[in-house]
C-alpha cells in the first residue's frame, strides 16, 4: 500500500547543526564547511541512490554543492540563524527507481518555482534493517532566494507562524497530488492522502513518532533476535496501535464485503422485479391482442351471418317472384282454353 509522508524541518545553528554537514551526509559526499574549517566526509555512506540539485534559471553556480551550502552559511550572521530547510518525502515502493527519481525532481521543481530557492535532492534506498519499502528522499533548500549573482532575500513566508502553517499544508497537498498522478500514470491502483485520519473521517489511529533513540534501540533488538516483540514503550504502543488498526481494517473490509454482497443481491432483486414487470406487461399486451382478435372474429361472424340472412331474404323474394309469375302464366292459359273472348 502506498504510504504518504512529508515532513519539514529547519537546519538551525541554534541546534548546533551545519547545513554543509547535513548536505554532505544526505548526498554521501565530502564537503568542507569553510566557516568552521571542518571537512565532512560521507563518501562511504551506503544507501544513496542519487543526488542532484535543482536551481532557478540563471543560478548555474548553485550546481556546485560545496559552493552552494557554503554560500548559505556565509549569508547568515546570527548565531541562531536558520541556514536551510529539509523536506523528507516517502517515495512509493510501487514505482521503479526512475519513476521515484522523477517524482522527487518534480517536487523539488515545485519548491524552486514557488519560493525561488535552490533544492538539493538526495534519494535514499531502504535501510538494511526495517521496512524494505522505505524508499525516501531528503530535499534540502536554501532559506534565501537564489539568482545569477548568488543568494538574495529570506523566504519569510516559511518563517512567520501566520503563513508558515498554511504554506506547509499547501505543499503537503501538492506532494499528495504529485504522488497520486505518478501512481495513476504507472497504473497503480493505490492512492495517498495528505490529510490526517481524523480529517479523512477514517476510523484509524495514528502511530506515535518513535524518534531517533527509540528507533535505534528497536533496530538493535531486531538485529539480536529477529521478529522479537518491541523493547521500548513507544515501540510497544505502536505495536498495539497497529494491531487495533488491523482489527479495524479487517472489520471495515468485512462490512464492505457484506455491503457489496447486499448491494449485489439488491441489484439482482431489482433486475428480477424489472424482468417480472416486463413479463407481466408483455402478457397483458398479448391478452389484449387476443381480446382484440376475438372481437374482430366475432364482428366478422356477425357480418357473415348478416350476409347469409340477407342472401336468404333475396333468395326467398326471388322464389316468391318466380311463383307469382308461374301463377299468372297458368291463369292466362286457362282463360285461353275456354275460348273466352271478351269482344
Amino acid at each position: 500500500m502506498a504510504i504518504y509522508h512529508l515532513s519539514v524541518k529547519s537546519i538551525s545553528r541554534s541546534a548546533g547543526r551545519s547545513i554543509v554537514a547535513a548536505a554532505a551526509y544526505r548526498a554521501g559526499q565530502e564537503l568542507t564547511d569553510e566557516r568552521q574549517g571542518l571537512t565532512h566526509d560521507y563518501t562511504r555512506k551506503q544507501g544513496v541512490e542519487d543526488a542532484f540539485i535543482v536551481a532557478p534559471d540563471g543560478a548555474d553556480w548553485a550546481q556546485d554543492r560545496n559552493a552552494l551550502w557554503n554560500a548559505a552559511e556565509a549569508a547568515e550572521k546570527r548565531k541562531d540563524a536558520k541556514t536551510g530547510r529539509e523536506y523528507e518525502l516517502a517515495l512509493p515502493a510501487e514505482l521503479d527507481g526512475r519513476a521515484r527519481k522523477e517524482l522527487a525532481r518534480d517536487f523539488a521543481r515545485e519548491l524552486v518555482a514557488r519560493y525561488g530557492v535552490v533544492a538539493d535532492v538526495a534519494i535514499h534506498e531502504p535501510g538494511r534493517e526495517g521496512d524494505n519499502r522505505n524508499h525516501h528522499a531528503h530535499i534540502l533548500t536554501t532559506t534565501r532566494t537564489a539568482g545569477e549573482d548568488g543568494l538574495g532575500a529570506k523566504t519569510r513566508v516559511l518563517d512567520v507562524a501566520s503563513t508558515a502553517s498554511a504554506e506547509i499544508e499547501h505543499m503537503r497537498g501538492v506532494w499528495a497530488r504529485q504522488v497520486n498522478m505518478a501512481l495513476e500514470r504507472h497504473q497503480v491502483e493505490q492512492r495517498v492522502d495528505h490529510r490526517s485520519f481524523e480529517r479523512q473521517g477514517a476510523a484509524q489511529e495514528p502511530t506515535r513518532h518513535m524518534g531517533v533513540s527509540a528507533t535505534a534501540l528497536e533496530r538493535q533488538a531486531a538485529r539480536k533476535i529477529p521478529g522479537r516483540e518491541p523493547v521500548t514503550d513507544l515501540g510497544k504502543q505502536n505495536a498495539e496501535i497497529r494491531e487495533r488498526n488491523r482489527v479495524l481494517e479487517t472489520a471495515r473490509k468485512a462490512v464492505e464485503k457484506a455491503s457489496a454482497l447486499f448491494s449485489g443481491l439488491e441489484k439482482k432483486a431489482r433486475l428480477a422485479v424489472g424482468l417480472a414487470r416486463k413479463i407481466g406487461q408483455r402478457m397483458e399486451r398479448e391478452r389484449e391482442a387476443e381480446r382484440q382478435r376475438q372481437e374482430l372474429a366475432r364482428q366478422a361472424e356477425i357480418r357473415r351471418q348478416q350476409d347469409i340472412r340477407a342472401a336468404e331474404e333475396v333468395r326467398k323474394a326471388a322464389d316468391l317472384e318466380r311463383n307469382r309469375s308461374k301463377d299468372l302464366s297458368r291463369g292466362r292459359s286457362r282463360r285461353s282454353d275456354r275460348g273466352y273472348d271478351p269482344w
Side-chain angles (χ1 to χ4, degrees), residues 289-301 303:
E290 179 62 20
R291 284 195 296 269
Q292 292 178 1
R293 188 189 65 77
Q294 291 177 0
E295 178 62 21
L296 290 173
R298 188 180 70 82
Q299 294 293 335
E301 179 63 21
R303 286 193 296 272

Side-chain angles (χ1 to χ4, degrees), residues 126-266:
R128 286 174 294 181
E129 293 132 8
D131 195 338
N132 61 5
R133 300 169 299 172
N134 186 26
H135 297 273
H136 58 282
H138 299 268
I139 302 180
L140 295 177
T141 68
T142 58
T143 58
R144 294 177 178 271
T145 59
E148 184 177 354
D149 298 327
L151 297 177
K154 276 277 194 179
T155 54
R156 295 298 182 187
V157 69
L158 290 169
D159 292 325
V160 181
S162 59
T163 57
S165 296
E167 283 296 313
I168 291 174
E169 180 64 15
H170 171 78
M171 295 311 300
R172 285 175 58 81
V174 168
W175 176 239
R177 288 192 295 274
Q178 289 182 337
V179 170
N180 287 333
M181 288 172 61
L183 292 172
E184 184 176 2
R185 281 196 304 271
H186 290 80
Q187 299 180 346
V188 179
E189 293 183 0
Q190 290 88 352
R191 296 293 182 267
V192 299
D193 196 319
H194 68 287
R195 297 171 300 169
S196 65
F197 293 141
E198 182 178 359
R199 288 173 58 194
Q200 294 178 46
Q204 193 168 356
E205 185 179 355
T207 55
R208 301 177 183 276
H209 180 64
M210 291 284 289
V212 177
S213 299
T215 300
L217 288 172
E218 293 293 350
R219 288 178 176 175
Q220 183 179 4
R223 281 196 298 269
K224 293 179 179 178
I225 306 178
R228 69 173 296 166
E229 295 294 323
V231 295
T232 64
D233 290 340
L234 282 172
K236 293 175 182 177
Q237 290 177 25
N238 281 340
E240 292 173 357
I241 291 171
R242 282 190 289 270
E243 178 60 21
R244 287 196 294 270
N245 286 338
R246 187 191 65 78
V247 173
L248 284 172
E249 182 65 12
T250 301
R252 183 187 66 78
K253 289 181 177 179
V255 170
E256 286 183 353
K257 185 176 181 180
S259 178
L261 179 61
F262 176 77
S263 178
L265 292 173
E266 186 180 22

Side-chain angles (χ1 to χ4, degrees), residues 1-2 6 11 23 26 38 45 88 113 118 152 161 173 188 212 232 247 254 257 267 294 303 326:
M1 178 179 179
L6 186 154
I11 308 296
R26 282 150 185 77
L38 297 174
K45 175 178 170 55
E88 186 178 87
V118 180
V188 179
V212 177
T232 64
V247 173
K257 185 176 181 180
K267 184 178 179 180
Q294 291 177 0
R303 286 193 296 272
K326 288 179 181 180

Side-chain angles (χ1 to χ4, degrees), residues 77-134:
K77 307 304 179 186
R78 296 171 58 95
K79 293 181 179 180
D80 60 349
K82 294 177 182 177
T83 53
R85 288 188 181 85
E86 179 180 23
Y87 296 79
E88 186 178 87
L89 315 170
L91 300 173
E94 293 80 3
L95 303 180
D96 59 26
R98 182 177 179 181
R100 289 194 295 268
K101 178 180 177 180
E102 287 307 308
L103 183 56
R105 188 186 296 276
D106 286 344
F107 188 72
R109 286 171 176 159
E110 187 71 23
L111 293 171
V112 172
R114 187 171 182 84
Y115 304 118
V117 297
V118 180
D120 188 355
V121 184
I123 299 176
H124 291 184
E125 63 186 17
R128 286 174 294 181
E129 293 132 8
D131 195 338
N132 61 5
R133 300 169 299 172
N134 186 26

